[in-house]
Amino acid sequence: MPAETSRHDPARFRQRLAARERLVGSFIKTPTTHATEILGSLGFDFVVIDAEHAPLDRAAIDMMLLAARASGTAGLVRVAEPSAAAILSVLDCGATGVLVPHVASATTARDIGAAARYRGGRRGYSGSHRAASYGAGGLWAYIDRADAETTVIAMIEDAAALDQIDAICAVESIDALFIGRGDLTVALGAASNTAAPVQQAVEHICAAARRAGKPVCVMVNAATEAAPFAALGASAFIVASDQGFLRRAAADALRDFTTA
């Protein structure tokens, strides 16, 4: 049996992100616990359960977050929309944090930050859910822990956000920026996510993040693709997805058989 990969405490994810540790995660798009368990057992720092672009209901997300806890990896959720209800739902289920799509203004950034925080925010309180240890933690002890650990990542993926990026970065309750190159490619009418307009947008966002002292997260397909983003200051990387890993491994296996 291989030795178990050393793990970091998922509760320290926000601290590690702020400290610019190199963090590696993946999107989870299949409504099952197994992919999350596998990636967690391998030592991935986090997973992002994709409620925006995958067929996941609240029950599936709840079980997938339980799998993240069981496997020792931070469980984040990309919510379907930048709404307080969507954020509250997954945080109560025990998400370490949220990726929030289409944050194109400081107003939206402030709203999602407030939705995720109790003190100084507007997060609705209940002590009966998983995040509050089903009532075992005590009201204020739980609130302090939740506010300290909950991670809010704003997805920058609209042309309008580029003009507002410094104001978005200035919102204190936003912990990091995720550069959504796919949506930016579409929004800018670029030929690909490596085209010059997208690259200029990436550099513009990274420069604003550096000025504000905010970490940057980006999606890549491999470590070699991550290097240029790391040079710009990115420190958290979402590598492919469970479906992408499955497709790649299956294609390799089929090719091995068909070319043998």
Side-chain angles (χ1 to χ4, degrees):
M1 294 288 290
E4 183 177 333
T5 303
S6 62
R7 297 175 180 172
H8 293 275
D9 180 1
R12 293 191 59 252
F13 178 83
R14 187 182 183 210
Q15 294 174 264
R16 297 177 65 209
L17 181 66
R20 309 303 196 278
E21 291 186 33
R22 175 161 290 197
L23 303 175
V24 180
S26 185
F27 276 117
I28 305 293
K29 295 174 176 287
T30 309
T32 173
T33 62
H34 305 99
T36 297
E37 290 179 276
I38 291 168
L39 295 183
S41 68
L42 287 171
F44 276 64
D45 298 295
F46 65 102
V47 296
V48 181
I49 296 164
D50 191 359
E52 184 184 20
H53 290 297
L56 306 177
D57 60 18
R58 187 174 185 179
I61 292 168
D62 185 63
M63 292 303 296
M64 294 159 80
L65 288 170
L66 181 60
R69 290 192 170 208
S71 59
T73 190
L76 284 72
V77 178
R78 174 160 69 175
V79 294
E81 59 184 11
S83 71
I87 292 168
L88 176 63
S89 172
V90 299
L91 292 182
D92 280 1
C93 288
T96 301
V98 288
L99 268 72
V100 184
H102 300 294
V103 179
S105 69
T107 298
T108 301
R110 284 190 291 269
D111 286 346
I112 66 172
R117 314 286 183 204
Y118 290 109
R119 295 184 185 272
R122 298 190 297 273
R123 179 176 172 183
Y125 173 77
S126 170
S128 63
H129 47 67
R130 179 183 295 122
S133 302
Y134 303 105
L139 189 154
W140 291 111
Y142 158 65
I143 283 176
D144 288 340
R145 175 172 58 81
D147 282 348
E149 295 175 4
T150 298
T151 305
V152 181
I153 302 176
M155 300 184 66
I156 308 301
E157 51 190 354
D158 300 279
L162 301 177
D163 295 330
Q164 299 294 319
I165 192 63
D166 285 309
I168 293 168
C169 287
V171 176
E172 185 177 355
S173 55
I174 298 300
D175 294 303
L177 307 179
F178 174 89
I179 303 175
R181 290 187 295 152
D183 276 288
L184 281 172
T185 300
V186 175
L188 297 173
S192 71
N193 66 7
T194 60
V198 181
Q199 180 61 26
Q200 291 165 5
V202 169
E203 294 172 3
H204 178 60
I205 295 164
C206 288
R210 288 195 301 272
R211 289 192 294 271
K214 300 282 187 181
V216 171
C217 177
V218 65
M219 184 177 179
V220 297
N221 287 315
T224 53
E225 189 182 348
F229 297 107
L232 291 172
S235 58
F237 300 94
I238 300 176
V239 185
S241 67
D242 58 341
Q243 293 175 348
F245 287 134
L246 174 61
R247 182 181 177 84
R248 187 184 307 170
D252 288 346
L254 182 60
R255 183 178 60 251
D256 289 344
F257 274 93
T258 56
T259 59

